[in-house]
Amino acid sequence: MEVLQNDRLIRAAKGLPVDRIPVWVMRQAGRILPEYREVRAKAGSFIGLATHPEWAAEVTIQPVDRFDVDAAIIFSDILVVPEAMGLPYVMEEQKGPLFPQVIRSQADVDALKTAVPEEDLAYVIDAIKIVKRDLSGKIPLIGFAGAPFTIFCYMVEGKGSKTFSQAKKMLYAEPALAHALLQKITDSTIAYLKAQVAVGANLIQVFDSWAGILSPSQYSTFSTPYLKQICDALTDVPVTLFAKGAFFAREEMAQLNCATIGLDWNMDIQESRRLVGSNKTLQGNLDPCALYGDYKTVETETKKMIDQFGTQRYIANLGHGVYPDIHPDKVKCFVDTVHNYSV
């Protein structure tokens, strides 16, 4: 078992006492930092950066040095999984990911492979090894993947969407095909996350970014069973589930073998604690836009959040990823406020 100098995040996830609230920030290794933009320019593209282990490791550690957060999260992208399965994507500037080919039939699903992480995603595995070496046990490293339903959305729709109507169409018109694709994604995701843990990821977060487009019954059918498989398979490290917009699924997610449930800023904190119960840790959930306020506003809003969550079984974070035009000093203010207020 690795001995960490700062293990607050792991202790909080496991429900053990902490001396102060651990805090990290979704998308902390990214676009808000000028030092990130320098490495990104050197890489030539987002994918070029994500697939270059030394550069990916460098930008993973940058926010640790800048913000004094209680965890690093490996710099990567959720869409490396479909690419490893044989469905490549491109990242269009100002537009986001685009899949030149999409899944429309059983033949398309059959043509996909189950990813072999050590081969197909070796660049992520190598980046984790470098980060672990450079962190030298200072803080934990979070590994991650997209939830099967969210990955499904991109593989069927082919790009980001407000409605993901093509993806949802398959749920209604061809549910058996949808389940076949979801299972194949799940198998690859479990292998990928296990490989991350094998080389040193101390915690895992699963991002269900498009959970909120589903109805409660659809979520129970097309997301929860696959999240359950992931949680049941990852027994060595704490798992966090973050399902953006799935306010209706909090009680259901609490029944899964995860340690932590992430909340977005629309989810009431005290109601969430009632629904989830006392045996799970909660993570979140400051509105990222609060960081556009002045420093006093950031402090005030952060303290209000902590007053509702309490100091135990809690990991402080935003309710979604930090936006690229937020000043890094506001993120530092958020992190410092959590640390200073919770002592």
Side-chain angles (χ1 to χ4, degrees), residues 3-317:
V3 177
L4 296 166
Q5 297 166 42
N6 172 357
D7 65 350
R8 286 187 195 97
L9 194 79
I10 295 173
R11 291 181 64 82
K14 292 181 174 180
L16 300 172
V18 292
D19 59 339
R20 66 182 188 183
I21 296 169
V23 55
W24 67 282
V25 178
M26 285 184 276
R27 292 200 188 127
Q28 66 186 24
R31 299 165 292 178
I32 57 169
L33 296 179
E35 53 265 43
Y36 163 86
R37 289 193 286 271
E38 288 175 16
V39 181
R40 165 71 170 72
K42 200 161 44 174
S45 68
F46 173 86
I47 293 175
L49 174 54
T51 55
H52 191 291
E54 289 81 8
W55 289 337
E58 182 178 349
V59 298
T60 296
I61 292 174
Q62 284 172 349
V64 176
D65 298 333
R66 172 73 82 106
F67 301 131
D68 193 29
V69 284
D70 292 295
I73 181 166
I74 193 66
F75 180 83
S76 187
D77 189 76
I78 64 171
L79 298 181
V80 298
V81 167
E83 182 155 70
M85 295 172 67
L87 202 71
Y89 72 107
V90 295
M91 191 67 77
E92 294 191 320
E93 293 296 330
Q94 310 301 322
K95 290 185 179 179
L98 176 69
F99 285 84
Q101 295 176 279
V102 293
I103 303 299
R104 287 286 184 272
S105 67
Q106 186 62 50
D108 293 337
V109 174
D110 292 342
L112 297 170
K113 60 178 286 190
T114 300
V116 179
E118 295 78 7
E119 299 172 10
D120 306 309
L121 292 158
Y123 54 90
V124 181
I125 305 306
D126 290 343
I128 290 175
K129 292 176 182 176
I130 296 168
V131 170
K132 294 298 291 186
R133 180 199 71 200
D134 292 351
L135 284 176
S136 300
K138 180 181 178 183
I139 55 173
L141 175 65
I142 302 169
F144 74 90
F149 176 71
T150 288
I151 301 302
F152 168 95
C153 283
Y154 284 106
M155 293 176 79
V156 176
E157 199 81 22
K159 58 185 178 181
S161 167
K162 291 181 178 178
T163 61
F164 282 99
S165 57
Q166 288 299 315
K168 288 186 71 177
K169 174 183 175 182
M170 187 180 288
L171 306 184
Y172 286 105
E174 297 180 276
L177 177 60
H179 281 298
L181 177 54
L182 284 162
Q183 187 59 58
K184 209 154 192 178
I185 295 167
T186 302
D187 293 342
S188 290
T189 302
I190 288 172
Y192 178 43
L193 292 174
K194 283 188 169 184
Q196 292 185 46
V197 172
V199 292
N202 302 102
L203 302 94
I204 291 296
Q205 177 150 319
V206 181
F207 289 87
D208 208 352
S209 305
W210 299 113
I213 69 170
L214 292 174
S215 69
S217 63
Q218 283 180 322
Y219 198 79
S220 297
T221 302
F222 294 104
S223 186
T224 302
Y226 301 101
L227 292 175
K228 182 179 189 303
Q229 289 183 45
I230 292 171
C231 291
D232 288 348
L234 296 171
T235 57
D236 295 333
V237 298
V239 175
T240 298
L241 299 180
F242 176 67
K244 176 78 169 64
F247 63 91
F248 48 79
R250 287 169 289 177
E251 205 166 4
E252 192 169 296
M253 285 192 292
Q255 305 308 309
L256 302 179
N257 287 325
C258 61
T260 301
I261 293 174
L263 308 180
D264 67 38
W265 69 90
N266 288 315
M267 297 177 184
D268 182 82
I269 295 167
Q270 292 171 351
E271 178 191 52
S272 296
R273 177 50 77 193
R274 287 196 303 272
L275 291 172
V276 169
S278 59
N279 293 324
K280 301 284 187 194
T281 296
L282 295 179
Q283 177 178 279
N285 72 336
L286 190 71
D287 184 349
C289 288
L291 301 187
Y292 288 122
D294 59 22
Y295 293 104
K296 185 65 179 172
T297 299
V298 174
E299 287 183 24
T300 300
E301 292 299 316
T302 302
K303 289 176 180 178
K304 276 168 48 181
M305 176 182 74
I306 292 170
D307 286 341
Q308 293 184 72
F309 274 109
T311 60
Q312 304 299 313
R313 291 226 83 141
Y314 173 48
I315 298 166
N317 207 317

